[in-house]
Structures are given as structure tokens and as C-alpha cells.
Amino acid sequence: SPLPTQALYDALQGAPVHEYRHAHRLYGAGDLRRLGLTRRQISACVAGGALQSMRRGVYLLPGAPEVVVVAAKAGGRVACVSALASPDS
């Protein structure tokens, strides 16, 4: 089987752009499972730094602006106004 990071990359490359390939999209465990990743691969991606765990069952790709990370860890999402006000955007 492919390395977990490669499996994640392959899954995202084959995913519909409008659904899964947004750079700062939050991924639920169910989203990643629908893309073909196993629980073990998801855990390995987190351990290897290919995914960041925001809270139980919610993941983000590395490199997201701090405002996105803070909102995700708090259980929220960034609205348009917050995104525009962020110096990272």
C-alpha cells in the first residue's frame, strides 16, 4: 500500500475541485474516508505532518493561515470578513 502521505495526495488529486481541493478546507474523518483513506492512513498523515488535527475527527492541511487554525480548533469556520481582515490571506 502507498505511504499515507502519498495516499492523501492521490486522494485529493482525484477529488472534485469544488468539494475537496480547497487549500484551507476543513476535512472531517468521513470526508477523508470517502476519498479512500483508512483510519490508519489518516493517523499516519497526522503523525507525519501531512494533516493537522484541529479537534477530534476534524483535519486541515498544513500551511493554513492562523485565523483558520484558531477558528477550526474552536469549532468554527472563518467568515468572509475575517478572511479579508487576515494578513495571511
Side-chain angles (χ1 to χ4, degrees):
S1 83
L3 296 173
T5 302
Q6 186 63 45
L8 174 64
Y9 175 79
D10 292 345
L12 291 177
Q13 289 305 307
V17 173
H18 67 283
E19 287 186 44
Y20 292 109
R21 287 173 53 190
H22 185 273
H24 307 309
R25 183 189 190 286
L26 293 176
Y27 296 92
D31 296 327
L32 297 172
R33 300 274 296 137
R34 276 189 292 284
L35 288 171
L37 294 170
T38 65
R39 287 186 179 114
R40 186 171 288 177
Q41 287 173 318
I42 294 168
S43 294
C45 285
V46 171
L51 281 173
Q52 293 178 302
S53 178
M54 297 293 102
R55 56 188 187 277
R56 184 182 172 129
V58 179
Y59 306 92
L60 184 65
L61 295 173
E66 185 65 20
V67 66
V68 174
V69 173
V70 169
K73 286 183 176 182
R77 295 183 184 260
V78 176
C80 296
V81 174
S82 297
L84 289 172
S86 171
D88 296 330
S89 42

